[in-house]
Amino acid sequence: MSDHYFEYKGVLFPQMSTTVEDLMFVENEFQVQDDDIFNVTYPKSGTTWMIEILSLIHKNGDPTWNKTVPNWDRAPWVESPTSAEKLLLSKERPRLITSHLPRKFLTKILQGSKAKVIYTIRNPKDTAVSLYYFSKMSVFYKDPENMDSFLKDFFSENLPFGSWFKHVKGWMEMQGKDNFMLNTYEDLQLDLRGSVVKICKFLGKELDDKAVDSVVENVSFKSMKENNMANFTLLPTGYMDHEKSPFMRKGIIGDWKNHFTVAQNEHFDKIYKAEMQNFSMTFPWDTEIQKLHELSLK
Ligand code: A3P
């Protein structure tokens, strides 16, 4: 294990972004309100995109909040130091709460709560590529030597927040509950407006067409890249160095094709297939994996 990380209950966490005390507090004592909205993701799956969407929906399409308050104050990461305090002091209702925690760490505090959870997932290949670059530019992750060593860590739970597979399977256990919504990064890409409307419906928020237009306009990749309340350029370079790789990097589907070798891709497919074989759901990217698998059988 790198000295960048510490382990708590079998999962690694970045030394720079949380502590055991914070995690224990969130796990056992954080007071969830029934109207809270949780934005949950495995890192690099569309977390900040969802923060912008939720913030704009919350303000009925008015972008002022998004353009004047940093995302970490609008929707604090509950596991980060000072977040619990920020959330307690927050006058906003509902509270927007972000988290990368695997479900087991939030099960107790969400038990019996009506708080809504939106879980966003992304093709793990694109998530891995995005995380590779994030690991290079941010102090929170260990700088990977190369893609091979990074993928080795990705598959062996040697990265913060643990295994992508366990994260997804854990949160998907909430599927079917009234207070749970599954969203994919790919759905946001392919039908942003439709996704915003679905999210509004889930939250019980009625926005008129003009307000929905404003949400869509203000959460485009270009708008977010230019908004320093959303793109993390307010953080000192010691935390994130955008010269190495911008936080708002490419924002596309399928960038893994530009990065993985044939061997890395085959290895990824093999592990994905083994991990997800008993999982009764298909995701937007599964058809592609299936096609590749079919080709390999020919
Ligand atoms: P890339 O590195 O592939 O560009 P997270 O917010 O979970 O950390 O995820 C960051 C990833 O989401 C980055 O992916 C970033 O570019 C992408 N992203 C953020 N906002 C986006 C938007 N409005 N449209 C498309 N992609 C976006």
Side-chain angles (χ1 to χ4, degrees), residues 142-154:
K142 190 179 75 154
D143 190 354
E145 258 174 59
N146 52 43
M147 189 59 89
D148 257 342
S149 67
F150 176 78
L151 286 176
K152 209 167 152 210
D153 284 345
F154 186 81

PDB file of all heavy atoms in Angstrom, residues 142-154:
ATOM      1  N   LYS A 142      -1.981   8.333  -5.973  1.00  0.00           N
ATOM      2  CA  LYS A 142      -0.572   8.080  -6.285  1.00  0.00           C
ATOM      3  C   LYS A 142      -0.382   8.199  -7.803  1.00  0.00           C
ATOM      4  O   LYS A 142      -1.200   7.679  -8.568  1.00  0.00           O
ATOM      5  CB  LYS A 142      -0.231   6.660  -5.818  1.00  0.00           C
ATOM      6  CG  LYS A 142       1.225   6.326  -5.852  1.00  0.00           C
ATOM      7  CD  LYS A 142       1.438   4.911  -5.354  1.00  0.00           C
ATOM      8  CE  LYS A 142       1.013   3.912  -6.396  1.00  0.00           C
ATOM      9  NZ  LYS A 142       1.584   2.628  -6.419  1.00  0.00           N
ATOM     10  N   ASP A 143       0.668   8.891  -8.218  1.00  0.00           N
ATOM     11  CA  ASP A 143       0.939   9.064  -9.652  1.00  0.00           C
ATOM     12  C   ASP A 143       1.311   7.711 -10.252  1.00  0.00           C
ATOM     13  O   ASP A 143       2.323   7.112  -9.868  1.00  0.00           O
ATOM     14  CB  ASP A 143       2.100  10.074  -9.818  1.00  0.00           C
ATOM     15  CG  ASP A 143       2.285  10.493 -11.256  1.00  0.00           C
ATOM     16  OD1 ASP A 143       1.591   9.930 -12.140  1.00  0.00           O
ATOM     17  OD2 ASP A 143       3.122  11.373 -11.513  1.00  0.00           O
ATOM     18  N   PRO A 144       0.511   7.189 -11.184  1.00  0.00           N
ATOM     19  CA  PRO A 144       0.828   5.847 -11.716  1.00  0.00           C
ATOM     20  C   PRO A 144       2.012   5.886 -12.665  1.00  0.00           C
ATOM     21  O   PRO A 144       2.202   6.853 -13.397  1.00  0.00           O
ATOM     22  CB  PRO A 144      -0.451   5.461 -12.477  1.00  0.00           C
ATOM     23  CG  PRO A 144      -1.174   6.732 -12.746  1.00  0.00           C
ATOM     24  CD  PRO A 144      -0.685   7.785 -11.803  1.00  0.00           C
ATOM     25  N   GLU A 145       2.771   4.790 -12.651  1.00  0.00           N
ATOM     26  CA  GLU A 145       3.947   4.714 -13.534  1.00  0.00           C
ATOM     27  C   GLU A 145       3.525   4.641 -14.988  1.00  0.00           C
ATOM     28  O   GLU A 145       4.046   5.329 -15.849  1.00  0.00           O
ATOM     29  CB  GLU A 145       4.726   3.442 -13.208  1.00  0.00           C
ATOM     30  CG  GLU A 145       5.952   3.682 -12.386  1.00  0.00           C
ATOM     31  CD  GLU A 145       6.569   2.366 -11.993  1.00  0.00           C
ATOM     32  OE1 GLU A 145       6.927   1.576 -12.879  1.00  0.00           O
ATOM     33  OE2 GLU A 145       6.671   2.135 -10.767  1.00  0.00           O
ATOM     34  N   ASN A 146       2.562   3.776 -15.250  1.00  0.00           N
ATOM     35  CA  ASN A 146       2.057   3.616 -16.622  1.00  0.00           C
ATOM     36  C   ASN A 146       0.680   2.954 -16.546  1.00  0.00           C
ATOM     37  O   ASN A 146       0.224   2.585 -15.460  1.00  0.00           O
ATOM     38  CB  ASN A 146       3.025   2.776 -17.465  1.00  0.00           C
ATOM     39  CG  ASN A 146       3.355   1.466 -16.781  1.00  0.00           C
ATOM     40  OD1 ASN A 146       2.473   0.799 -16.233  1.00  0.00           O
ATOM     41  ND2 ASN A 146       4.630   1.104 -16.774  1.00  0.00           N
ATOM     42  N   MET A 147       0.035   2.813 -17.714  1.00  0.00           N
ATOM     43  CA  MET A 147      -1.329   2.270 -17.719  1.00  0.00           C
ATOM     44  C   MET A 147      -1.371   0.836 -17.202  1.00  0.00           C
ATOM     45  O   MET A 147      -2.306   0.442 -16.510  1.00  0.00           O
ATOM     46  CB  MET A 147      -1.918   2.373 -19.132  1.00  0.00           C
ATOM     47  CG  MET A 147      -3.389   2.041 -19.219  1.00  0.00           C
ATOM     48  SD  MET A 147      -4.467   3.082 -18.192  1.00  0.00           S
ATOM     49  CE  MET A 147      -4.824   4.419 -19.318  1.00  0.00           C
ATOM     50  N   ASP A 148      -0.346   0.062 -17.513  1.00  0.00           N
ATOM     51  CA  ASP A 148      -0.323  -1.330 -17.046  1.00  0.00           C
ATOM     52  C   ASP A 148      -0.348  -1.410 -15.518  1.00  0.00           C
ATOM     53  O   ASP A 148      -1.161  -2.142 -14.938  1.00  0.00           O
ATOM     54  CB  ASP A 148       0.959  -2.026 -17.549  1.00  0.00           C
ATOM     55  CG  ASP A 148       0.667  -2.954 -18.727  1.00  0.00           C
ATOM     56  OD1 ASP A 148      -0.514  -3.299 -18.905  1.00  0.00           O
ATOM     57  OD2 ASP A 148       1.610  -3.296 -19.450  1.00  0.00           O
ATOM     58  N   SER A 149       0.534  -0.649 -14.883  1.00  0.00           N
ATOM     59  CA  SER A 149       0.585  -0.721 -13.418  1.00  0.00           C
ATOM     60  C   SER A 149      -0.691  -0.122 -12.822  1.00  0.00           C
ATOM     61  O   SER A 149      -1.209  -0.591 -11.808  1.00  0.00           O
ATOM     62  CB  SER A 149       1.823  -0.020 -12.873  1.00  0.00           C
ATOM     63  OG  SER A 149       1.741   1.364 -13.101  1.00  0.00           O
ATOM     64  N   PHE A 150      -1.233   0.902 -13.500  1.00  0.00           N
ATOM     65  CA  PHE A 150      -2.472   1.499 -12.994  1.00  0.00           C
ATOM     66  C   PHE A 150      -3.619   0.486 -13.053  1.00  0.00           C
ATOM     67  O   PHE A 150      -4.393   0.331 -12.102  1.00  0.00           O
ATOM     68  CB  PHE A 150      -2.832   2.755 -13.806  1.00  0.00           C
ATOM     69  CG  PHE A 150      -4.141   3.340 -13.395  1.00  0.00           C
ATOM     70  CD1 PHE A 150      -4.236   4.106 -12.240  1.00  0.00           C
ATOM     71  CD2 PHE A 150      -5.298   3.084 -14.119  1.00  0.00           C
ATOM     72  CE1 PHE A 150      -5.463   4.610 -11.822  1.00  0.00           C
ATOM     73  CE2 PHE A 150      -6.523   3.583 -13.706  1.00  0.00           C
ATOM     74  CZ  PHE A 150      -6.598   4.351 -12.563  1.00  0.00           C
ATOM     75  N   LEU A 151      -3.732  -0.219 -14.193  1.00  0.00           N
ATOM     76  CA  LEU A 151      -4.834  -1.188 -14.328  1.00  0.00           C
ATOM     77  C   LEU A 151      -4.679  -2.324 -13.319  1.00  0.00           C
ATOM     78  O   LEU A 151      -5.666  -2.836 -12.796  1.00  0.00           O
ATOM     79  CB  LEU A 151      -4.898  -1.737 -15.760  1.00  0.00           C
ATOM     80  CG  LEU A 151      -5.453  -0.750 -16.798  1.00  0.00           C
ATOM     81  CD1 LEU A 151      -5.392  -1.345 -18.205  1.00  0.00           C
ATOM     82  CD2 LEU A 151      -6.892  -0.331 -16.479  1.00  0.00           C
ATOM     83  N   LYS A 152      -3.447  -2.669 -13.036  1.00  0.00           N
ATOM     84  CA  LYS A 152      -3.195  -3.706 -12.034  1.00  0.00           C
ATOM     85  C   LYS A 152      -3.787  -3.245 -10.684  1.00  0.00           C
ATOM     86  O   LYS A 152      -4.484  -3.995 -10.004  1.00  0.00           O
ATOM     87  CB  LYS A 152      -1.683  -3.925 -11.908  1.00  0.00           C
ATOM     88  CG  LYS A 152      -1.312  -5.303 -11.495  1.00  0.00           C
ATOM     89  CD  LYS A 152       0.179  -5.525 -11.715  1.00  0.00           C
ATOM     90  CE  LYS A 152       0.674  -6.550 -10.734  1.00  0.00           C
ATOM     91  NZ  LYS A 152       2.049  -6.379 -10.363  1.00  0.00           N
ATOM     92  N   ASP A 153      -3.529  -1.995 -10.333  1.00  0.00           N
ATOM     93  CA  ASP A 153      -4.083  -1.444  -9.087  1.00  0.00           C
ATOM     94  C   ASP A 153      -5.613  -1.370  -9.153  1.00  0.00           C
ATOM     95  O   ASP A 153      -6.309  -1.648  -8.183  1.00  0.00           O
ATOM     96  CB  ASP A 153      -3.537  -0.029  -8.833  1.00  0.00           C
ATOM     97  CG  ASP A 153      -2.095  -0.064  -8.334  1.00  0.00           C
ATOM     98  OD1 ASP A 153      -1.638  -1.153  -7.927  1.00  0.00           O
ATOM     99  OD2 ASP A 153      -1.443   0.997  -8.364  1.00  0.00           O
ATOM    100  N   PHE A 154      -6.141  -0.995 -10.324  1.00  0.00           N
ATOM    101  CA  PHE A 154      -7.594  -0.872 -10.502  1.00  0.00           C
ATOM    102  C   PHE A 154      -8.280  -2.220 -10.236  1.00  0.00           C
ATOM    103  O   PHE A 154      -9.328  -2.280  -9.614  1.00  0.00           O
ATOM    104  CB  PHE A 154      -7.884  -0.386 -11.933  1.00  0.00           C
ATOM    105  CG  PHE A 154      -9.337  -0.068 -12.212  1.00  0.00           C
ATOM    106  CD1 PHE A 154      -9.894   1.147 -11.824  1.00  0.00           C
ATOM    107  CD2 PHE A 154     -10.149  -0.972 -12.887  1.00  0.00           C
ATOM    108  CE1 PHE A 154     -11.230   1.454 -12.093  1.00  0.00           C
ATOM    109  CE2 PHE A 154     -11.486  -0.677 -13.162  1.00  0.00           C
ATOM    110  CZ  PHE A 154     -12.026   0.541 -12.767  1.00  0.00           C
TER     111      PHE A 154
END
